[in-house]
Every structure is written in structure tokens, then in C-alpha cells.
Amino acid sequence: MQDGTLLAAVDLGSNSFRLEIGRFEHGHIQRVEYLKETVRQGAGLDENRNLSAAAMQRGWDCLARFAERLAGFPRGHVRAVATQTLREARNRDEFTQRGSEILGYPIDIVSGPEEARLIYQGVAHLLPQSDERRLVVDIGGRSTEIILGQQFTPHAVASFRVGSVAWSSRYFAEGLFTPQAFQAAEIAAKAVLDEALGTYRRDAWDVAYGSSGTAGAVGDILEALGGPPGVITREGLDALHEMLLRARSADRVRMEGLKEDRRPVIGGGVSVLRAVFDLLEIDRMQVAQGALRQGALYDLLDRERPGTDLRSATVRGLMQRFAVDTEHAERVARLACALFEQAAPAGSERASRKLDWAARLHEVGCRISHSDYHRHGAYILDHTDAAGFALPELHRLSQLVLGHRGKVRKLEAGLDDPTFALQLMCFRVAVALCHARRAPDVEGLQLRLQGQRCTISTRPGWAASYPQSAHLLREESVAWQKTPWEFAAELP
């Protein structure tokens, strides 16, 4: 990444969508522009966890405005990250597919722990470096992330389904502030957050930081009331609670420092923050400048180089956890990527890296079942918390693992994507040629792609020398029948 490069992050939160544009200079990212729109998508989830048409349209309209500002940015310089509302929404695919088209860049839905990791990266990169043990709390619209970390390393991450939008609609539905409503909201928040007590106890951290919307809003109000800048104290939080009770309802709240877009969700946000203060024995919290969007920007830098891409370390960790035969997995990965690079168009390095990860992980299900290990492996990847990965990325790996053996037609929907189809062909060929669990003789082996026909060819005499491998390649031709793709084996 060259100095002067512009990078952008889009944060699709439950309450607001944000666009952060920064310039990379000497290892740091300096803000160039920041845009925020209150979308309240989290309030658009119905009882069946479907986003309403109006909520989706509000989101798409916002993304269209962001897209105008992002015109001309290379794909690798933009990261769009969606959080709890879209994790919950049953019709999230409808929103993200259309939203990605409008924005011009793919929207990554991240898991709760991955959101927490990115939040910590954003906070840590905007703080002075020290060895202090940090507690970071981010109260969003529908989830709260809690992280323990030191310097740039998060040591514990967790995400809880409690937030300012969700709690405001549930406990302050009419906008009324009563002692009973606050008590019910705080008790319910503590019930959800209670499992954090074992990990995030008071002796595990030195300084508490509050990130993003709720913490920033409360910090602004307390500063306007005469408190120290950028600090939330227990006394200040109690005073704010009393002020809300005196106002009696959200529409009657008049406070210097409270922005209009925060007014409808201030009750839920304050009740969750009070619960966090009580549970984790916090007396003083500093308002952090960094947040999820800054973490996504710095993550773009790490993803640029395989050596610093956290996803590679995560793959190695999964291989170790599930006792994968490392030598065999690497053998399959090398061959699959070599075949892919022969046939793939220029600029397919990212797809090659993902194929490499899938090949390294293709036997993670063997600890559960030998005969159906590909199905168990796919399930594991679809349901694991994998640092650095977005949920769609993990699903892509899971589909490659599911499809590397057995019938191809089970992945019919994915075969509309030419890159995925080529990845899968190369993967299946590599597994077939490495069937003896030793390095195959691939001298003269070539893979060519013309339209939707993929042809593999070998040197004369190869098939006679390796009859089982030749048989498996011919069987591969049969496997791709009744799909939009043709696989031909030319084995003289």
C-alpha cells in the first residue's frame, strides 16, 4: 500500500450507516471525510425477523448516496461491513445482494466476535500506545461488544444481543421514561450480559473505553453538563438517568449535547450502559475515538499482504484444532492453486487465496465422520467464529469444502459464478490427483478454460502410468454433466 492511497470503510449499523474515508500515510490512516446517516434499520425488523420493505429502501437509498462518493475507488480499497441487524434478518440476502450492486462493492456480514475484533482494532489504532490492559465496550443498536486487549491484540472478544435500538423499542416503546421501565430494561440487560462476568472481571483490565454511538452520545451530554471532556463517570450517568426520568418521555428531552438522531434511542442506550457499569464494576469510562469503521480500514491494510492477513493464521488454527493432516492439505492446496492460476484470468489472486484456504480445510470434518467428512466440514465452517473472516467468506469456503467430493449438482446455485465453478473444478481435480496422499506426477498437466468448457490434458503415456488417477479424471467429466459447465479429460 503506497503512501497517499485512499481507503474507505462503510459501517452498516443497526441505527446508522457510516462512511469513513482515510488516507494511508507512513503506516497510519488519516481521516479525509466522514459521512453518517440515521437509517434505523434495526427498528425495521418484524416479529419474524424480516426487514420491512421501508427499512430496506432506507438502507439502499443511503448506500446509493455513499456510492456516488466512492466512485473510482478500487475494489480492494473499500470494505463494507454489516452487523447485528443483518445478522438477524432472515431476508438479509435480498438486502445485501441489491445493496452490493448499488454500492458497487460487496457487503460483508460479520459475526459478533469478528465485529468485536474490528472494533478493538479501531479503538487501539487511535489510542496512544501503552501496555495498559484495556476493556472496550461498544453499545450499538442491536448488539453490545465487549473486548479485553492490550496494545493491538484483543485477548477476549464477545458480542451480546442487547443494544440501544432494541432496548428502546422493547422497554420504552411509547417513548415514556419511568422508574419501572428503566428497572426492567436494566435487569433484562444484566441477564443477557451476565455471562461476561467471568471473563471481564474488574481485575482483568486497567482502563475502560466506550466506543461508538451510545458512549459518544452520553459523553457529549455529560461534557455539556460541565463534566470532563471524553469521560463518563458513574455519577454523571446517574445524573443523566435522573434527567431522563424528569423529562418523562423521549420527545420532551431537551439536553445540550444530545443530537436529534439519538433522542429516540437514548433511553435504551442509557439503560444498557448503566447495566454494563454495574456488572463490570466500572466507575470511569473514557470515550474512544476509534470504532468499527476504523478497524475495517486497518484490516484492509493487513489483508493486502498474505503474511499479515489474519485469515491465514485463523486457517492454521482451525487445521490444528481439528487435527488436519497438514502435509496432505498443503499438497492439495498447492496443486489446486497451480491449476487455478493456469486457467484463471489476470487479477484472480484473491480467489486463489480463498481456494488455498478451502483446500487446507477440506478435511476438518474427518474428526466427526470419515464417510461424510465433507458435509461436516462445510457445517463447521458455516458455524465457526473465525477471526478475520466475514460470514459470506466462510460460506464460500464451506461450499467449496462441501463440493470437493460427491455430486456437483448439489451446488447448482453457486455454479452461476464462473470464478466459483473454476475454483471447484481445480479443487476436485487436486483432490483426485492426490488420492494416494503423496505428491502426484503432474509434469505436463495443463488446465484450460474456454467459455464454460474446462479441459485437462496430460503428456503421452501419463494415463497408462497412472491408471487410477486417469480413471478419477474421467469420472470427473461425468460429475459435471447436467450442469452449465463441461469438464473434458484429454488423456493420451
Side-chain angles (χ1 to χ4, degrees), residues 426-440:
C426 296
F427 192 1
R428 289 173 64 94
V429 168
V431 171
L433 292 177
C434 295
H435 67 92
R437 305 187 81 83
R438 60 174 179 265

Side-chain angles (χ1 to χ4, degrees), residues 312-423:
S312 296
T314 297
V315 168
R316 292 193 296 271
L318 287 170
M319 291 172 68
Q320 183 176 11
R321 187 190 312 173
F322 290 98
V324 167
D325 181 343
T326 302
E327 185 177 350
H328 178 64
E330 291 178 348
R331 183 186 303 123
V332 172
R334 282 193 301 270
L335 180 53
C337 290
L339 293 169
F340 183 79
E341 288 160 13
Q342 284 183 11
S348 300
E349 293 81 7
R350 293 173 184 271
S352 180
R353 196 185 306 180
K354 290 176 181 177
L355 174 58
D356 175 86
W357 292 329
R360 291 173 183 271
L361 295 171
H362 77 280
E363 290 189 336
V364 293
C366 284
R367 290 289 294 270
I368 301 171
S369 167
H370 181 73
S371 59
D372 284 329
Y373 75 87
H374 57 305
R375 298 184 186 278
H376 293 292
Y379 181 88
I380 289 168
L381 293 177
D382 266 330
H383 294 85
T384 191
D385 290 328
F389 283 97
L391 298 182
E393 290 177 314
L394 284 173
H395 184 63
R396 177 75 162 233
L397 298 189
S398 82
Q399 293 303 284
L400 286 170
V401 168
L402 178 63
H404 84 268
R405 64 178 297 192
K407 295 181 179 179
V408 177
R409 283 177 293 165
K410 62 192 171 191
L411 301 176
E412 185 173 357
L415 298 179
D416 293 336
D417 180 348
T419 300
F420 177 79
L422 181 58
Q423 285 175 317

Side-chain angles (χ1 to χ4, degrees), residues 27 35 71 79 143 166 224 256 322 353-354 455:
L35 300 175
R79 182 93 190 273
S143 69
E256 189 177 350
F322 290 98
R353 196 185 306 180
K354 290 176 181 177
T455 303

Side-chain angles (χ1 to χ4, degrees), residues 428-485:
R428 289 173 64 94
V429 168
V431 171
L433 292 177
C434 295
H435 67 92
R437 305 187 81 83
R438 60 174 179 265
D441 178 358
V442 294
E443 183 181 350
L445 192 73
Q446 289 189 330
L447 192 75
R448 302 185 306 278
L449 182 65
Q450 294 177 306
Q452 291 187 298
R453 176 185 169 91
C454 187
T455 303
I456 190 165
S457 59
T458 61
R459 67 181 188 270
W462 183 90
S465 299
Y466 305 102
Q468 176 64 7
S469 296
H471 168 73
L472 292 173
L473 291 182
R474 294 188 182 103
E475 285 291 298
E476 195 63 17
S477 297
V478 177
W480 285 89
Q481 291 177 359
K482 298 183 181 179
T483 77
W485 299 85

